[in-house]
Amino acid sequence: MEVFRKYLGKISLFMALFMALGPGWSPVAQAAMVSTGDMVAAQQVQFDRQQLISALDHPEVQAKMAELGVTDEQVRERIKQLTPQELEQFEQQLAEAPAGQGVVGVLVLLFVVFIITDMLCATNVFSFVNCVQ
Amino acid sequence: MAGLWLAMLVAGCTTTTAWPTATDQGSPAVGNVLPAYHRLETVPFFSQQRYQCGPASLAMMLNSQGLETTPGQLKQRVYLPGRKGSLQVEIVATARAHDMLVYPLDGKLHSVLKEVAAGHPVLVMQNLAFNWWPQWHFAVVVGFDASAHALILHSGTDQASPTPVNTFLNTWARADNWAVVILPPDELPASARPLPYLSAASDLESSGRLEAAMDAYRVAAGRWPDQPAGLLGQGNVAYAMGDRAGAADTFARLLRRFPRQADGWNNLAHTLGQLGCAWQAGEAQRCAAALSPQRFAATPPEVSGQASRLCPLPVCPVPAR
């Protein structure tokens, strides 16, 4: 256990680096075996992204997007551009939403914030919102 | 204890939480229907010494799976005298060191009940006091009683103590709904979903519990045949064990089923290189690079040794130019 603690710092640093440079987004080509953990992490990101995209099909979300004048395509494109960290931020927001509030309600709320901040450059709720001047 | 009473008082003010039913999880499919009452009789109880709920709870979890250990034996590994407690990460690492798979639940009460109904005790973390003055606590859920709106917990010095569901939900939420099942790697948790399960299996692999990881990957590949990671994991474990030929065969099996898995092509290329299969290794690497050019270069991997056996090479879905 002592040994484990001794190396914990290094392992954490490695993990942090791995997460920062995550598989699929690293510009450096892989020159070794891909670990199972890397593959699972990459698939989880893909899965989360797909979940978010499929939520767009919900009529309530569709209605809200129409109301805000954004197209399905635009939001879909944004979701595709999210990095794993940003996706996780999203997931966290969803997880922390009060119980009883449907996922759809939360998503609508998130999209509203997402789009308004993006348009107005007023707030910085999500780090992934690129403010267009 | 004062914290617990206070938590119960606070809980008393809130409205009664609806007991989860199958319909909360969508269709009442097979396996989602919960009994009204269930109590695991096979989980031994260890009363905690002062502050030592961590070692006691872990001992209950491990003994329930047929391992013989005591809180005293586990104390050195998981108890931090300076903090008068245990860290989750050390509880998890110690369970893994016993070749057990630690599966984190999704934080829903329904999943906890589902595991218990399937015969799996659930290790939970609670904060018995406040967010700003936490009093962390580990306990083991060993049953539930829907009619009494209660969970049955081995907790502290209380054996099989009924805990009102509201109290439990409040104290559990303040510990981020942390809950795990600790099972032999060939047994699937009742609430298991493929990617979190494969991630738990890969934690066994990366902590060097290779045999256990292999078992878990086999179970995953059988249960979720549409997931490539179960096969990749088996290949990686064989590779780590030094069985290059077995690894190459497994990667080839993966790629015949999932030909577009660039990770698999890359690992096959490396393994073939070490088997002395120069030409096949180069072809496999080319395929990895063709499928995922941002991640893999087409540079052939290092080749060592003479090819002394057949070199498996499935058909690449991207034809050579």
Side-chain angles (χ1 to χ4, degrees):
Chain A
M1 217 58 225
E2 279 304 309
V3 178
F4 179 73
R5 282 205 200 106
K6 198 172 133 200
Y7 287 109
L8 196 59
K10 282 178 188 161
I11 295 170
S12 315
L13 179 69
F14 174 76
M15 292 290 284
L17 275 174
F18 160 70
M19 284 170 163
L21 304 170
W25 300 271
S26 159
V28 186
Q30 181 108 18
M33 296 280 285
V34 176
S35 77
T36 324
D38 286 3
M39 185 204 227
V40 176
Q43 290 199 320
Q44 186 68 57
V45 169
Q46 211 181 333
F47 178 80
D48 291 346
R49 206 183 296 272
Q50 210 47 55
Q51 290 281 94
L52 214 49
I53 287 176
S54 63
L56 296 181
D57 294 337
H58 199 281
E60 227 176 294
V61 178
Q62 290 277 342
K64 198 72 198 179
M65 287 193 298
E67 196 186 310
L68 288 162
V70 286
T71 65
D72 199 272
E73 288 300 297
Q74 286 171 316
V75 181
R76 212 173 280 261
E77 210 42 56
R78 298 279 172 78
I79 292 174
K80 277 188 194 151
Q81 287 163 6
L82 299 183
T83 68
Q85 287 83 358
E86 292 159 359
L87 267 175
E88 204 182 273
Q89 225 175 324
F90 233 120
E91 292 281 304
Q92 221 171 332
Q93 299 269 351
L94 284 172
E96 282 168 10
Q101 215 173 333
V103 170
V104 173
V106 178
L107 268 179
V108 167
L109 194 78
L110 283 175
F111 286 142
V112 171
V113 176
F114 183 23
I115 288 150
I116 290 177
T117 50
D118 194 45
M119 289 190 323
L120 302 180
C121 305
T123 53
N124 190 18
V125 177
F126 299 108
S127 62
F128 52 78
V129 175
N130 295 319
C131 168
V132 184
Q133 292 288 353
Chain B
M1 208 54 211
L4 183 61
W5 281 114
L6 211 51
M8 288 173 97
L9 280 176
V10 172
C13 306
T14 61
T15 51
T16 307
T17 313
W19 193 263
T21 57
T23 45
D24 293 347
Q25 302 297 311
S27 63
V30 182
N32 265 343
V33 181
L34 294 168
Y37 176 88
H38 198 76
R39 162 94 166 86
L40 302 177
E41 303 288 350
T42 52
V43 186
F45 174 69
F46 292 104
S47 184
Q48 78 172 62
Q49 307 288 318
R50 205 168 161 70
Y51 300 121
Q52 292 173 12
C53 56
S57 300
L58 181 58
M60 295 187 241
M61 294 297 285
L62 295 178
N63 278 276
S64 74
Q65 301 306 315
L67 294 175
E68 281 179 24
T69 184
T70 62
Q73 283 172 307
L74 296 168
K75 192 181 142 188
Q76 287 95 14
R77 311 188 67 141
V78 301
Y79 183 66
L80 302 171
R83 296 186 58 150
K84 293 181 182 165
S86 305
L87 295 176
Q88 289 139 296
V89 61
E90 298 197 281
I91 299 247
V92 167
T94 304
R96 245 177 238 141
H98 284 82
D99 279 332
M100 289 281 144
L101 182 130
V102 182
Y103 183 79
L105 301 193
D106 61 7
K108 296 195 175 86
L109 180 63
H110 186 271
S111 301
V112 173
L113 303 183
K114 198 169 163 180
E115 292 295 346
V116 172
H120 307 150
V122 180
L123 176 63
V124 292
M125 193 182 192
Q126 295 165 284
N127 176 2
L128 300 180
F130 306 102
N131 286 330
W132 46 271
W133 184 39
Q135 191 192 342
W136 304 114
H137 181 66
F138 286 105
V140 179
V141 184
V142 295
F144 57 84
D145 185 348
S147 63
H149 261 59
L151 272 76
I152 303 166
L153 264 62
H154 280 345
S155 176
T157 54
D158 299 326
Q159 178 170 8
S161 119
T163 306
V165 67
N166 277 339
T167 310
F168 175 78
L169 286 175
N170 284 319
T171 54
W172 189 41
R174 286 199 290 270
D176 286 333
N177 292 25
W178 191 87
V180 297
V181 288
I182 297 177
L183 296 172
D186 55 3
E187 189 171 343
L188 269 181
S191 66
R193 284 171 304 128
L195 290 172
Y197 181 83
L198 284 158
S199 175
S202 80
D203 288 338
L204 274 171
E205 183 192 345
S206 57
S207 57
R209 316 307 299 187
L210 296 179
E211 301 276 358
M214 185 67 110
D215 285 347
Y217 288 138
R218 282 205 187 104
V219 168
R223 171 68 182 76
W224 299 291
D226 56 334
Q227 292 291 332
L231 278 170
L232 186 92
Q234 289 178 52
N236 281 350
V237 170
Y239 184 93
M241 286 172 164
D243 176 13
R244 302 289 194 258
D249 287 341
T250 310
F251 292 136
R253 195 146 56 93
L254 162 74
L255 293 166
R256 275 190 285 270
R257 212 182 135 66
F258 305 95
R260 304 199 71 86
Q261 270 300 329
D263 295 334
W265 284 105
N266 173 76
N267 289 10
L268 177 64
H270 278 265
T271 312
L272 287 173
Q274 299 202 1
L275 285 167
C277 305
W279 180 77
Q280 290 88 343
E283 283 299 295
Q285 192 63 47
R286 183 196 63 76
C287 194
L291 287 166
S292 185
Q294 311 96 320
R295 298 181 54 211
F296 301 109
T299 328
E302 261 179 59
V303 177
S304 54
Q306 285 284 311
S308 54
R309 61 187 296 284
L310 292 172
C311 306
L313 185 71
V315 180
C316 179
V318 183
R321 270 166 299 193

